[in-house]
Amino acid sequence: MNVSMERSVPVWMASGPVADAPLLRSDEHADVVIVGAGIAGLSTAYELMRAGKSVIVIDRGPIGGGMSSRTTAHLASALDDFYHRLISRRGLETARRYFNSQAAAIDRIEAIQQHEGIDCDFVRLDGYFFLSPGDDESLLEQEIDACEQIGFNGVSWVERAPVPGVDTGRSLRFPRQGRFHPRKYMAGLARAILRDGGRLYANTPVTGFQETADGVTLTAGHGHKIHAQAAVVATNSPVNDRVAVHTKQPPYRTYVIAGPVEAGSVPDALVWDTQEAYHYVRIQPTGGAEDILIIGGEDHKTGTVHDMGDRFAALEEWTRRHYPQLQSIEYRWSGQVMEPVDYLPFTGLNHGNTHIYIHTGDSGQGMTNGVAGAMILRDLILGLDNSWAEVTDPQRISLSAAGEFLKENIEAATHWVEHLTAGEVSSTNDIQPGQGAVIRDGLKKLAVFRDESGTLHARSATCSHAGCVVHWNPFERCWDCPCHGSHFAVDGSVLNGPAISPLAKADYEE
Ligand code: FES
């Protein structure tokens, strides 16, 4: 099981499975084992196989069925957190290298889809940042200056962004961005991996990591072992780690709506505003009389709100003002992004390990970070230099982000204190069919779901990763952990790491 079992269905799912893959049913050996069959995991496998390595990719759910299917698949070298902020937090050279990695990632996707003949609707297009009401134009002025400093050529002012319903005023245009269909692209990667002898295993959770002097042994599924010289953990939030990286990247839920517009009526561009949280917009052509307009936004820290209905209403209201062409809303879904306190992903050797690498912390740049991360991991595993690896090193200490780090961890601590507070409802009578709530049961807190027939399903509300109290997500109908982004199904099964064990069973009688 994984997040493909959450209730909402992204627009991309209509393209069918990314790849069929069996369960792991025997012990296996490979040069490299990769945990997580999303954009980062499949791209890393592809890169390593080009370099002659034997590779296994394993996932707790279907291939490509994790957060990579819940993206809107903007291919952006523009930075959603802004380069001028990255420069002030991490310095000019870091910002320059990071920009180069993102531009190279788009180039790499373009080259691979061409070389492998992957029909994934890839196109180059422009991206636009426009100001939200109340934001100062100096924000954009600082950003265009920063782009010039880091060598992002061609960023320019335009009189207005291509947003049909409003006059956005002066905006920034970013050339050579891109878009694609993420599942079609991942399907092409999977085909190439299988063609060249790579092995994919689906629906097989990894439950243990053991590092030895010359490699690593993973335990997965029903206790089968995978032995490899190196392991890469490329899950949304790393499943091999209890603390280190998790204190540096809080999880956020983000929301997306999509629906038809007359083909060609909305310009083919990536568009973002400067609101906090920002909106992000693109189209996906269908090849027919309609394009699909895709709009995201309304982010919040995972597991901290229950007002998803209001968030979708706000997203629709914003969309109808800015894109009156939208005919109807056919899709609503949510995803989760990890937001590093110093803006950049964590790609490289995991803290305390010599053979286990991680990729996480994609923020709003999941597709480009995943592909750039694959190139970094390839080089690190091959023992080659990579000038981007230093800026994404998971073991880095960013003193300039210390305040943000402290704030996030004080906030996380409040979720442990919740063990002492009252439940969300005082009685299970207050839980409607199809909904859940955390209740207090003596000294314990329980996560209780009432199914449509009225039967209660109770599990411990203590997250099996590191003990925070989980919260009900009424939209996806699952339990979300606010600390590090684990999700659990109503029967307690893990849908998203870092947890690897289910919520504990609980005896509860109404
Ligand atoms: Fe770490 Fe829940 S995800 S405590």
Side-chain angles (χ1 to χ4, degrees):
M1 291 177 90
N2 74 349
V3 293
S4 61
M5 303 296 290
E6 294 184 5
R7 194 166 59 136
S8 67
V9 180
V11 64
W12 315 116
M13 304 308 275
S15 67
V18 167
D20 290 327
L23 302 171
L24 179 70
R25 295 187 193 280
S26 59
D27 291 355
E28 299 268 356
H29 287 80
D31 292 333
V32 183
V33 56
I34 296 166
V35 184
I39 186 78
L42 293 172
S43 297
T44 304
Y46 182 85
E47 298 293 353
L48 286 167
M49 290 184 67
R50 298 277 76 66
K53 295 288 183 190
S54 64
V55 173
I56 290 172
V57 183
I58 187 165
D59 199 290
R60 71 163 53 258
I63 302 300
M67 289 304 172
S68 295
S69 285
R70 294 182 164 266
T71 175
T72 56
H74 288 216
L75 301 177
S77 55
L79 179 59
D80 60 348
D81 288 314
F82 299 108
Y83 281 112
H84 65 270
R85 289 184 185 153
L86 178 59
I87 291 171
S88 67
R89 188 154 286 187
R90 298 279 309 272
L92 181 59
E93 182 55 26
T94 291
R96 188 177 288 137
R97 289 189 200 186
Y98 180 69
F99 160 68
N100 287 335
S101 77
Q102 300 301 285
I106 305 174
D107 292 345
R108 188 71 182 133
I109 292 168
E110 182 172 32
I112 289 173
Q113 56 92 33
Q114 218 162 44
H115 177 72
E116 297 291 348
I118 303 172
D119 183 7
C120 62
D121 311 320
F122 174 89
V123 293
R124 290 279 186 176
L125 38 65
D126 291 338
Y128 296 85
F129 263 133
F130 72 92
L131 283 177
S132 292
D135 281 346
D136 196 284
E137 195 171 281
S138 64
L139 188 64
L140 299 183
E141 281 162 4
Q142 289 179 76
E143 189 59 6
I144 196 168
D145 282 353
C147 288
E148 200 174 314
Q149 290 178 61
I150 63 173
F152 191 158
N153 297 321
V155 180
S156 60
W157 287 102
V158 292
E159 282 313 305
R160 59 177 285 178
V163 178
V166 299
D167 182 353
T168 62
R170 287 224 305 163
S171 305
L172 292 184
R173 183 185 70 87
F174 299 82
R176 291 187 63 71
Q177 309 299 286
R179 63 153 169 81
F180 69 172
H181 188 302
R183 282 176 68 85
K184 290 182 182 175
Y185 182 73
M186 288 192 290
L189 285 182
R191 277 194 301 275
I193 291 165
L194 291 170
R195 176 197 65 207
D196 295 341
R199 285 160 282 171
L200 304 179
Y201 295 105
N203 302 307
T204 310
V206 172
T207 53
F209 293 79
Q210 189 177 11
E211 204 168 42
T212 59
D214 57 354
V216 59
T217 299
L218 269 55
T219 307
H222 294 295
H224 295 301
K225 307 284 187 195
I226 301 175
H227 305 281
Q229 291 159 16
V232 171
V233 180
T235 50
N236 175 245
S237 184
V239 293
N240 58 316
D241 192 353
R242 191 168 287 266
V243 181
V245 79
H246 298 301
T247 58
K248 299 188 279 194
Q249 50 165 17
Y252 280 74
R253 279 276 187 184
T254 185
Y255 297 89
V256 185
I257 58 176
V261 294
E262 188 185 328
S265 65
V266 171
D268 197 1
L270 306 183
V271 176
W272 314 277
D273 68 5
T274 55
Q275 191 171 314
E276 190 81 34
Y278 68 95
H279 297 94
Y280 45 102
V281 184
R282 60 165 282 191
I283 61 159
Q284 170 66 24
T286 64
E290 292 173 341
D291 294 335
I292 302 294
L293 180 65
I294 303 170
I295 311 95
E298 292 292 327
D299 304 15
H300 63 81
K301 278 215 177 122
T302 294
T304 58
V305 304
H306 295 94
D307 62 351
M308 287 73 172
D310 294 345
R311 287 171 189 273
F312 279 114
L315 205 47
E316 178 172 356
E317 188 276 326
W318 183 93
T319 301
R320 294 213 178 274
R321 260 188 303 123
H322 291 76
Y323 294 91
Q325 294 91 335
L326 179 67
Q327 292 164 12
S328 57
I329 297 176
E330 304 295 331
Y331 301 90
R332 289 179 173 82
W333 74 90
S334 76
Q336 178 171 276
V337 292
M338 310 304 293
E339 291 286 354
V341 293
D342 65 358
Y343 303 138
L344 299 192
F346 300 102
T347 309
L349 205 53
N350 189 47
H351 186 80
N353 291 123
T354 49
H355 302 288
I356 301 176
Y357 299 79
I358 60 170
H359 172 81
T360 187
D362 282 330
S363 188
Q365 319 257 145
M367 297 294 104
T368 45
N369 276 335
V371 173
M375 293 188 271
I376 295 170
L377 292 166
R378 172 200 63 200
D379 291 349
L380 293 177
I381 289 169
L382 295 175
L384 305 173
D385 285 339
N386 185 304
S387 64
W388 311 326
E390 198 181 318
V391 306
T392 64
D393 182 357
Q395 303 181 54
R396 67 183 181 259
I397 296 171
S398 297
L399 289 177
S400 58
E404 192 67 18
F405 175 83
L406 205 61
K407 182 171 134 287
E408 291 301 339
N409 285 283
I410 288 171
E411 202 170 315
T414 64
H415 300 299
W416 279 285
V417 174
E418 282 183 64
H419 285 289
L420 305 175
T421 61
E424 290 169 338
V425 294
S426 53
S427 159
T428 52
N429 292 334
D430 298 333
I431 303 175
Q432 299 300 312
Q435 293 302 322
V438 172
I439 65 161
R440 175 159 290 288
D441 182 35
L443 292 176
K444 299 175 302 215
K445 280 200 160 172
L446 301 182
V448 182
F449 169 71
R450 186 186 293 281
D451 68 24
E452 305 294 350
S453 72
T455 306
L456 292 178
H457 303 261
R459 308 292 295 199
S460 166
T462 302
C463 177
S464 61
H465 173 238
C468 287
V469 174
V470 298
H471 288 271
W472 178 243
N473 180 329
F475 174 65
E476 296 292 1
R477 294 200 177 174
C478 64
W479 300 101
D480 284 356
C481 182
C483 282
H484 315 119
S486 293
H487 306 168
F488 301 88
V490 293
D491 68 356
S493 310
V494 180
L495 300 175
N496 197 60
I500 51 178
S501 306
L503 294 176
K505 288 191 175 130
D507 289 329
Y508 179 76
E509 292 206 16
E510 197 164 10

